[in-house]
Every structure is written in structure tokens, then in C-alpha cells.
Amino acid sequence: MVISMNEIIYDPLARWLGDWASDIGIGSVCLRLMIAVLLAAVIGCERASKRHSAGLRTFILVSFSSALAMLLDLFLMQETSVKFPFLSAASVISIAMLSGNSILFSSRNQIKGLTTSAGLWSCGIIGLTAGAGFYTVTLISFLLLLCILTYLPAVETYLKNRSNHFEIHLELKSRENLQDFVTTIRRLGLRIDDIESNSAYLGSGLSVYSVTITIASQELKKYKTHSEIIEALRSLDYIYHIEEMN
């Protein structure tokens, strides 16, 4: 007895829409592509509103191409002897390469674009599920991805600000001020774990460092956040600029 894929995987939305939504026809193809585009547009708007490198069009194109690749694979597997979704596999690899190119390294030794890169890859996978006709999985995955990108940054910021370890970008007016800074840090109940000179600022007249700090004082751990500690250090005359690194 041969069991069809629709009997193995129960999709409530596909069952509600009817058999036409599960078959490869003009109507179902248009529906799947529209779902892939619309959901990606919402994710893209969320990223663009926060001025990230990959915005609305990038997310839409990634999701649209993934859905189209999956549809073509399904058609070829249905009409020919092809048994492996080659186009979908190639699209996953392409999205991974595209996502990797969105990761940037700033002059302050910071890695930027990791979340956007992961978001692009996730959006591409959602495009594949839309193209495959897994409507319920697509909708649930979209809602989860949107919540992760929208609400988790605040939680992440809170947890990082309460951590006993943080890294700062430090610009001193003179190299001779480094010892004064180290002395002040120790008096505040902080411990310097690592100091790395930033060569990107050679010739600027400033002494620039990446400093890893641990909060050693129990009082500071309980009552002070990273922002408050950095604000206190910013008042020192010999500090030109200071900020926490992400």
C-alpha cells in the first residue's frame, strides 16, 4: 500500500484550504509565492526599521527564490525521475554564502551583522517551507522568527548589562594615561582581564584599546549596571571616548 505525503504530514491549514493547496497547480504556486513574499516583507521591514544592512528587498528576494526553488524541485520530482531536491539544496548553500557576506568587522574589533545573517538564513528556510506547501509550519516559524527579532534584543540587553563581564572600546588622550586608567579601574572594584591595542587608530593622536573587564566588587555586582560604570569612567579628563562593545 502506497502512503502519500499528505497522509504522513497533517497540515491543518492545507486541509482547511482544500486539496488544490496541496497540489502543484497555478493556484497553489501563486499562493505559496505570495506567502513567502508577504512574510519575508514583514521580517524585512523589521530589520530595515533598525537600519540593518539587509533590509526589505533582500529578505523578500531570499524568501521568494527559496520558495521558487522548492516549487521547481517538487515539480521535477513529480514529473521526472529526479528524486532529490537539488535546487533547494543549492539555495540553502547560496543563502548561507549571502548571509556570511552580511557579517562585518568594524575598526573597533566588533563583529556586526550576525543577527541579520542568521535572520536571512532563517527567512530562506521559511521560504522553502512555504514553497513545499507546509502552511502551518511556515506560519508558526514566521511568528517565532518575528518574536525573536523583535522582543529578544531587549532581554539580551538586560542580561548583558547584568553580566559580571563586559568589553569596552577605550580612547585615551595619551598613552601615558593608560596607567592612570588601570589604577582607577582597580579602585572602583573592577578587574582588567585583557587589554588590546587597536592598530586601526595609529596616527590619530589617540591611544585606543579594547579592554575586557570583570566586576569584582560585590557591591558593584548588586547595584551598578555596565552603563552606569561606563558613565562614571566617561567623566575622567584623560578619556576621550569610551563605550561598551557588543
Side-chain angles (χ1 to χ4, degrees):
M1 181 177 65
V2 178
I3 300 176
S4 68
M5 184 62 68
N6 288 335
E7 292 174 329
I8 297 174
I9 301 175
Y10 174 72
D11 190 317
L13 285 178
R15 186 69 60 85
W16 177 73
L17 289 170
D19 292 339
W20 69 271
S22 300
D23 298 330
I24 303 299
I26 294 297
S28 66
V29 167
C30 292
L31 174 64
R32 297 178 194 188
L33 291 177
M34 286 177 58
I35 289 175
V37 169
L38 290 175
L39 297 186
V42 176
I43 300 296
C45 287
E46 192 280 337
R47 292 283 88 190
S49 66
K50 298 179 180 177
R51 303 185 65 83
H52 291 284
S53 54
L56 178 62
R57 289 179 297 174
T58 305
F59 276 86
I60 289 177
L61 287 173
V62 165
S63 181
F64 172 78
S65 59
S66 297
L68 190 58
M70 177 58 76
L71 284 166
L72 287 173
D73 275 333
L74 291 176
F75 176 78
L76 291 174
M77 292 169 67
Q78 179 177 295
E79 301 295 332
T80 69
S81 59
V82 174
K83 300 301 180 184
F84 183 80
F86 291 101
L87 293 175
S88 299
S91 70
V92 171
I93 297 174
S94 300
I95 295 167
M97 295 175 63
L98 175 65
S99 300
N101 291 333
S102 66
I103 301 175
L104 303 174
F105 295 86
S106 71
S107 60
R108 298 181 179 180
N109 292 330
Q110 292 179 284
I111 301 176
K112 296 185 176 183
L114 280 175
T115 301
T116 298
S117 175
L120 272 176
W121 191 81
S122 300
C123 195
I125 301 300
I126 289 176
L128 290 176
T129 62
F134 297 152
Y135 302 105
T136 303
V137 173
T138 300
L139 182 58
I140 293 174
S141 301
F142 159 73
L143 292 174
L144 288 175
L145 178 59
L146 184 62
C147 289
I148 289 170
L149 294 175
T150 304
Y151 300 111
L152 283 190
V155 177
E156 188 177 22
T157 300
Y158 173 81
L159 293 176
K160 287 177 63 177
N161 210 22
R162 290 295 176 180
S163 171
N164 293 332
H165 309 277
F166 61 101
E167 190 173 4
I168 61 172
H169 170 81
L170 175 67
E171 299 178 11
L172 299 176
K173 295 179 180 178
S174 172
R175 181 178 295 273
E176 287 71 28
N177 297 135
L178 181 58
Q179 185 57 51
D180 296 329
F181 176 78
V182 172
T183 301
T184 301
I185 286 292
R186 290 173 177 171
R187 287 176 178 173
L188 289 174
L190 304 171
R191 184 179 73 244
I192 294 179
D193 296 322
D194 183 56
I195 298 179
E196 180 181 351
S197 179
N198 195 327
S199 58
Y201 289 81
L202 290 176
S204 66
L206 299 172
S207 294
V208 182
Y209 305 90
S210 297
V211 185
T212 304
I213 294 175
T214 295
I215 303 175
S217 168
Q218 292 298 324
E219 183 177 356
L220 281 178
K221 290 180 182 180
K222 188 174 181 180
Y223 297 107
K224 297 296 182 182
T225 65
H226 300 176
S227 301
E228 292 171 328
I229 293 173
I230 291 174
E231 190 61 34
L233 293 172
R234 188 173 285 121
S235 62
L236 298 174
D237 294 336
Y238 52 80
I239 291 182
Y240 180 78
H241 180 74
I242 184 173
E243 66 176 273
E244 184 174 3
M245 297 173 63
N246 296 323

